[in-house]
Amino acid sequence: MTTILAYPFKNLPTTSKWALRFAIRPLSCSSQLRAAPAVQTKTKKTLAKPNIRNVVVVDGVRTPFLLSGTSYKDLMPHDLARAALTGLLHRTSVPKEVVDYIIFGTVIQEVKTSNVAREAALGAGFSDKTPAHTVTMACISANQAMTTGVGLIASGQCDVIVAGGVELMSDVPIRHSRKMRKLMLDLNKAKSMGQRLSLISKFRLNFLAPELPAVAEFSTSETMGHSADRLAAAFAVSRLEQDEYALRSHSLAKKAQDEGLLSDIVPFKVPGKDTVTKDNGIRPSSLEQMAKLKPAFIKPYGTVTAANSSFLTDGASAILIMAEEKALAMGYKPKAYLRDFMYVSQDPKDQLLLGPTYATPKVLEKAGLTMNDIDAFEFHEAFSGQILANFKAMDSDWFAENYMGRKTKVGLPPLEKFNNWGGSLSLGHPFGATGCRLVMAAANRLRKEGGQYGLVAACAAGGQVRYRGVIGPSRESFSWND
């Protein structure tokens, strides 16, 4: 760790250019931290496509998102997923028998319920004739669940889909070491006492060392926090800027919570405990207190800390999506149209968290929109440094030309339209469930603020995929990009 200050740059392609280019263009959001939403209703235009079914969001819910190790710590993932499904049924009054398919996302799977969508569906009272499957795509697992549902509806295979996601970080699988697992399996196959004694003689104490899960890239062996620290350094994002942005997230989330804007939350009675009614990770602090925290990943000179990172979270979400004609026939007034989406892949080492920069222009061009058309931006906040690095990349002609093959920059999302009700830094980030929260935040904001289009984006582990979407409100209220 003696070369920490130089380390971020020597692992980035042409990093000296990155460092020089962005060091002279620091971005500070402090002057806009408390900017109020100022979205005005525009003349509506449709993104409907000929001969393709319109897909709508009827409604969506989530359990309160809680810090891992708190009230949900004695549960299993399917318990939370079941609670989200039950809450959705109560919120929408949709008959269980009309649901054609259920899809859930999750990241760290409980081996006893590997298809958690199916187990949760059965627990929530859905028919055993209703198919359900589980997908995993890191932090965009719920996004994949939703877009899989969109494909099933658009193709005419289904009319009604429930999509969602769940994560329980309070009880992640901890495995025996590979040597211990092999020994135990061989012992199970041994047919004689002599074979068993021979195998036992090979046992060593270090076999007992457990394999702990880590939020790290398999291909690079680097934790996401370490990657975020390098990215922040490469784009000259200061510790103060990161703390300022994190404080903004917590402050806006607290305001939204106090004003009752987080209406997607459904109370959950934890067995043997009290009913949980709100997120417990929203904790506005002060820049002075945040500055006291030590670096969490690159020590001692890193800028990513516990205060400007998302925290390990337990929670589940669920969303009801339908073909428009089905929703209207059932008497629903949809909250939003799901119009377009895009997945992209980047280098998992040096561009792991830059997905929103690359995906934004692609999905906007696909939808025939510009940044100016978007009224509500909802980006996943893995780290403050990740958000601010994306801001700098999106606002740079140089980056667009040299790394994206574009003639002009993507453009900077206005902070007054950006994550106005808080984000993953403050609300929490259950890996498999965040996607639905982002979509419902965009849909609910558009209705509240009178906007027409919303844009949802999230980076994900693996550098493999990033999701970007376009959401539009229902005809009576709004339009959106997801």
Side-chain angles (χ1 to χ4, degrees):
M1 287 296 182
T2 56
T3 60
I4 289 175
L5 288 176
Y7 181 70
F9 306 111
K10 70 179 183 180
N11 284 301
L12 288 168
T14 61
T15 44
S16 58
K17 292 182 181 179
W18 286 42
L20 291 173
R21 178 67 58 171
F22 294 103
I24 61 174
R25 299 187 62 194
L27 180 152
S28 176
C29 60
S30 57
S31 62
Q32 305 179 59
L33 288 182
R34 302 190 182 279
V39 177
Q40 296 181 353
T41 303
K42 303 175 184 178
T43 301
K44 296 187 175 89
K45 57 184 177 182
T46 180
L47 297 183
K49 299 176 181 178
N51 304 318
I52 296 180
R53 303 173 89 191
N54 282 329
V55 181
V56 299
V57 173
V58 174
D59 212 337
V61 302
R62 64 181 176 92
T63 68
F65 287 176
L66 302 188
L67 291 154
S68 64
T70 55
S71 294
Y72 297 157
K73 65 181 180 180
D74 296 324
L75 303 178
M76 292 180 65
H78 76 283
D79 293 320
L80 287 176
R82 181 180 64 231
L85 288 174
T86 302
L88 184 67
L89 291 172
H90 290 163
R91 175 72 61 87
T92 63
S93 299
V94 64
K96 299 186 187 76
E97 60 272 14
V98 308
V99 176
D100 298 314
Y101 211 106
I102 298 171
I103 312 165
F104 257 63
T106 196
V107 178
I108 301 179
Q109 295 188 356
E110 164 60 56
V111 295
K112 294 180 180 179
T113 57
S114 57
N115 187 2
V116 70
R118 176 66 169 172
E119 303 304 331
L122 293 174
F126 284 90
S127 168
D128 57 10
K129 302 298 189 293
T130 303
H133 80 264
T134 302
V135 297
T136 184
M137 195 172 278
C139 300
I140 51 174
S141 295
N143 304 84
Q144 181 57 253
M146 286 184 287
T147 56
T148 298
V150 169
L152 289 172
I153 293 173
S155 66
Q157 296 295 313
C158 299
D159 291 323
V160 182
I161 297 284
V162 171
V166 63
E167 211 69 46
L168 185 72
M169 297 303 294
S170 290
D171 184 27
V172 297
I174 299 175
R175 303 201 301 176
H176 285 292
S177 68
R178 191 177 188 89
K179 292 179 179 179
M180 190 64 190
R181 298 199 305 271
K182 185 176 184 302
L183 177 63
M184 295 170 71
L185 291 171
D186 289 345
L187 279 170
N188 191 52
K189 297 176 183 177
K191 297 180 179 180
S192 67
M193 182 60 69
Q195 289 177 330
R196 293 189 183 95
L197 291 174
S198 176
L199 288 168
I200 291 173
S201 70
K202 298 177 182 179
F203 172 77
R204 299 292 182 271
L205 280 177
N206 64 3
F207 286 16
L208 296 176
E211 288 185 2
L212 301 175
V215 186
E217 296 299 306
F218 181 80
S219 60
T220 65
S221 298
E222 183 178 49
T223 66
M224 188 173 285
H226 195 285
S227 180
D229 222 328
R230 291 198 301 112
L231 188 68
F235 280 88
V237 179
S238 70
R239 165 75 179 270
L240 177 59
E241 287 173 321
Q242 293 176 62
D243 287 350
E244 285 176 340
Y245 183 84
L247 181 58
R248 173 189 189 269
S249 181
H250 280 272
S251 299
L252 291 176
K254 178 62 174 173
K255 183 173 184 290
Q257 187 179 67
D258 291 344
E259 294 177 1
L261 299 177
L262 306 180
S263 58
D264 55 335
I265 295 177
V266 290
F268 176 38
K269 175 65 173 71
V270 181
K273 299 182 180 179
D274 293 335
T275 298
V276 181
T277 60
K278 61 182 181 180
D279 306 321
N280 72 355
I282 303 173
R283 299 177 178 180
S285 182
S286 67
L287 291 177
E288 292 74 22
Q289 290 297 319
M290 297 168 77
K292 295 178 181 179
L293 296 183
K294 295 180 179 180
F297 300 99
I298 297 181
K299 303 173 182 179
Y301 302 115
T303 57
V304 175
T305 70
N308 56 44
S309 306
S310 58
F311 48 88
L312 297 179
T313 314
D314 300 334
S317 59
I319 192 168
L320 179 62
I321 59 178
M322 292 186 180
E324 181 185 27
E325 65 270 21
K326 181 70 172 181
L328 297 179
M330 293 184 67
Y332 288 113
K333 182 179 179 181
K335 282 198 168 184
Y337 288 102
L338 291 168
R339 289 305 190 190
D340 269 305
F341 61 89
M342 176 74 65
Y343 292 92
V344 301
S345 288
Q346 305 304 139
D347 171 21
K349 185 170 183 63
D350 295 320
Q351 297 184 324
L352 177 69
L353 302 170
L354 285 177
T357 297
Y358 284 88
T360 296
K362 291 184 178 182
V363 77
L364 289 177
E365 290 165 5
K366 184 181 178 185
L369 298 173
T370 68
M371 292 285 278
N372 291 332
D373 292 314
I374 304 302
D375 300 305
F377 292 88
E378 285 292 331
F379 281 27
H380 165 47
E381 300 169 346
F383 304 90
S384 291
Q386 159 249 332
I387 289 290
L388 297 178
N390 273 277
F391 280 3
K392 288 195 173 186
M394 296 171 79
D395 198 35
S396 169
D397 288 316
W398 179 87
F399 186 88
E401 181 179 351
N402 287 274
Y403 285 92
M404 302 177 66
R406 297 175 58 85
K407 294 181 179 179
T408 58
K409 63 187 178 183
V410 176
L412 185 64
L415 269 185
E416 64 269 16
K417 298 180 180 181
F418 191 87
N419 290 12
N420 285 353
W421 295 352
S424 299
L425 288 171
S426 50
L427 300 172
H429 174 39
F431 299 153
T434 288
C436 292
R437 180 194 67 75
L438 291 169
V439 166
M440 289 312 303
N444 289 329
R445 279 184 54 203
L446 287 172
R447 285 207 161 202
K448 178 71 173 178
E449 299 166 8
Q452 185 176 9
Y453 293 108
L455 188 68
V456 171
C459 55
Q464 182 205 10
V465 190
R466 272 72 170 163
Y467 162 88
R468 195 66 177 208
V470 180
I471 308 173
S474 63
R475 285 177 180 156
E476 295 80 8
S477 55
F478 69 83
S479 301
W480 66 309
N481 283 319
D482 155 292

